[in-house]
Amino acid sequence: MPGLAVIIVGDDPASRVYVNNKKKACAEIGVYSEEHALPHETTEEELLALIRELNGRKEISGILCQLPLPKHISEETILLAIDPKKDVDAFHPVNVGKIMIGDYDFLPCTPAGVMELIKESGIDPKGKECVVIGRSNIVGKPQAMLLLHAHGTVTICHSKTENLKEVTKRADILVAAVGKANFVTADMVKEGAVVIDVGMNRNAEGKLCGDVDFEGVKDKCAAITPVPGGVGPMTIAMLMKNTVKAALL
Ligand code: NAP
């Protein structure tokens, strides 16, 4: 049976929700899971010791350390300590490098979920103008790489991009991973584009919302993902896929 170990350090409320959703998904599909909830004061050495133990346990096929970690722990050091074959988030540099060359065991869950949504909707990025807003290691960069692997013509935008609207208006497929509510407005979107909203933000009323002004954009585009209910659930589904895959490695 595949087994997922989920580590959470501290009491960040958003991290708690994500971890609960991941454990629930494991229960739904019959994957063994165990949670390691550690206090905020946990030292880097204590966390490393736990990861070493989990690396060595046969019944644990996947290890996930929920980010962000408290400031006194180096995320880089922790991610490096996870056995790449158990790295179901695909954040280890070995896995990042494998994705770059297109020969990988795991894909990072959120960009993989976006690709699955595109594919299952009958959309082919081949030859299309694909624009990704955001260049984080977790979403933007791997997303661009996966669209490139799917033969898209890819542009990555970020906070220093000039004339952002001119670039996004060229997009047949527009992926927003910025982290700012209502950042993508109708005037930034081409008629008939496919719009994927990765953002998970809270608006002034505390309601979960994406990066795209959904109401303003929805009538202009061919397809659009909602928040909540779009990329978020796909991310969890891809985590389950990676955990099952890890058990077979
Ligand atoms: P991040 O590390 O903060 O990256 C945000 C990116 O947006 C950066 O590359 C930044 O550019 C760019 N950006 C910021 N302001 C901009 C502007 N005015 N114009 C153009 N680009 C701008 O965030 P992340 O981790 O990638 O996450 C992005 C969003 O996705 C967040 O809302 C996060 O909660 C959400 N998320 C959702 C899931 C899911 O499962 N649905 C998973 C992961 C993340 P610079 O690099 O120049 O600073």
Side-chain angles (χ1 to χ4, degrees):
M1 182 194 279
L4 178 67
V6 183
I7 305 170
I8 175 168
V9 186
D11 46 17
D12 177 55
S15 293
R16 172 43 63 199
V17 173
Y18 297 145
V19 164
N20 287 350
N21 288 343
K22 289 165 186 177
K23 278 165 42 191
K24 205 168 126 217
C26 286
E28 271 170 23
I29 66 162
V31 163
Y32 168 74
S33 74
E34 60 183 40
E35 178 183 310
H36 297 265
L38 307 178
H40 183 273
E41 309 70 57
T42 304
T43 64
E44 190 172 286
E45 196 38 59
E46 284 167 335
L47 185 52
L48 285 171
L50 172 62
I51 289 172
R52 277 186 223 112
E53 183 210 320
L54 294 169
N55 279 342
R57 277 177 54 198
K58 267 213 159 66
E59 70 277 24
I60 298 299
S61 29
I63 303 170
L64 181 154
C65 189
Q66 186 66 46
L67 301 179
L69 289 168
K71 296 253 176 303
H72 63 275
I73 300 178
S74 155
E75 288 186 355
E76 198 190 341
T77 305
I78 297 305
L79 296 180
L80 265 174
I82 295 174
D83 179 346
K85 293 215 174 299
K86 297 191 177 191
D87 171 38
V88 284
D89 262 337
F91 292 162
H92 192 290
V94 166
N95 289 323
V96 174
K98 285 181 155 196
I99 292 157
M100 189 86 170
I101 56 176
D103 171 24
Y104 45 79
D105 297 317
F106 308 114
L107 289 176
C109 301
T110 300
V114 169
M115 296 310 289
E116 199 73 20
L117 273 171
I118 291 175
K119 193 176 109 206
E120 287 296 317
S121 305
I123 297 154
D124 185 358
K126 187 172 173 184
K128 299 276 185 330
E129 287 275 356
C130 304
V131 174
V132 179
I133 320 177
R135 57 173 166 181
S136 71
N137 290 332
I138 293 174
V139 188
K141 280 186 211 161
Q143 187 66 71
M145 195 50 62
L146 298 193
L147 287 163
L148 184 62
H149 288 330
H151 310 296
T153 302
V154 185
T155 306
I156 308 176
C157 301
H158 45 79
S159 67
K160 309 290 182 291
T161 298
E162 290 178 5
N163 307 320
L164 180 68
K165 191 163 61 165
E166 279 170 30
V167 182
T168 59
K169 277 204 88 143
R170 290 205 308 262
D172 300 307
I173 299 174
L174 178 63
V175 181
V178 187
K180 290 183 179 163
N182 291 328
F183 184 83
V184 176
T185 45
D187 58 330
M188 296 168 72
V189 177
K190 180 164 99 175
E191 195 82 36
V194 171
V195 180
I196 313 275
D197 192 350
V198 178
M200 293 239 260
N201 315 297
R202 297 271 165 196
N203 66 11
E205 295 85 50
K207 209 173 140 239
L208 189 64
C209 62
D211 288 344
V212 179
D213 169 19
F214 186 88
E215 286 307 315
V217 171
K218 73 178 193 318
D219 294 330
K220 200 174 184 188
C221 54
I224 184 167
T225 64
V227 179
V231 174
M234 290 305 296
T235 298
I236 304 228
M238 294 301 108
L239 174 67
M240 295 301 105
K241 184 176 174 180
N242 282 351
T243 304
V244 172
K245 209 168 174 197
L248 301 170
L249 286 178

